[in-house]
Every structure is written in structure tokens, then in C-alpha cells.
Amino acid sequence: MQSKDTQNKGTENKDMPLTKVQIAIKVILLVLLSIGLYGALSVSYLTVTGIAPCPSVAKLPACFIVTIGYFLMLVATLFNNKLNAKWLFIIGWSPVVLLALVGSLLELSQGDICPKSSMGIALCYVSLSFAIMVAGLFWLLNKMSPSIK
């Protein structure tokens, strides 16, 4: 017969409430992802309406790919206690960071590649900084919650 400590060892972190620091990190992460998703949806809308199309990758507008990526990261963060949340986050994050990195490098070398904000800042720079921040916060949240696979 197993002791109570041995029986609870695998599940002790799953049922524990989040600490204040974990809650703060999760809220910041959700806010950043919501802003990223809103921005990607806005650029996607401008592409659909033909007002300001974003660059395409394999005949698919990059902003659509970024929108899907931010959505997947948001879902993964909302349900980060589930087994596949980390992989869902990585699946969403990878194309976002790759497109933002390539877009940023092309913007630096060739100029006028990425859509611009109302302040004239290339949105690929914004997306790259968001992608790096959310990856760091998601990693930190996972490190603080070892039950997440």
C-alpha cells in the first residue's frame, strides 16, 4: 500500500491554487496576447478589405498566419494546466516569431516590407518584441508550475 505522500506526489501541483506572482504573470501574458491578437486581426481586416494588404507567404497573407498563431497562444495560456498547452503554444508561437524575425530582417535590409502602425513603426518589430516577451512569460509561468507538461 502506498503512503499518502507517494499517492499525491504526481498530482500535488495540479490542484494547488496559483500564487500571486503566477496570477500576475498570467494576467500580463493574457493582456499581451490579447493585444497581439487584436493587432493581427486588425491587419487581417485591412487585408481582407484591400485597404492595406500584408505580405503573403505561399499565397496566404502573413497576417492570417500571425492571427492564428496568437489565437493558439492565447488558448494555450488560458488552459495552461492541460497536458498539451505547451505544444499548442509552441505551434502558435513558432510561425509568429519566424515571420516577425524574417519580416524585421527584411525591413532592416530592404525597407517598406511590413505594415506600419499609425506612428510609422513597422508592425513586424512590434510582433517580434511581443513574441519574445510572451515566450519568456510563458516559459516563466511553466517553470513556476512544474505540473505543466
Side-chain angles (χ1 to χ4, degrees), residues 25 29 86 89 132-145 148:
I25 291 170
L29 186 55
K86 184 166 82 172
F89 187 89
I132 292 168
M133 284 190 289
V134 299
L137 289 170
F138 192 81
W139 175 81
L140 185 60
L141 189 60
N142 282 333
K143 284 293 181 190
M144 297 175 86
S145 306
I148 298 171

Side-chain angles (χ1 to χ4, degrees), residues 18 22 26 29 74-86 138 141-142 145 147-149:
L18 294 174
Q22 288 171 308
K26 189 166 185 172
L29 186 55
L74 186 62
V75 169
T77 302
L78 286 170
F79 302 105
N80 72 337
N81 59 343
K82 303 296 181 205
L83 182 63
N84 296 324
K86 184 166 82 172
F138 192 81
L141 189 60
N142 282 333
S145 306
S147 66
I148 298 171
K149 302 284 183 218

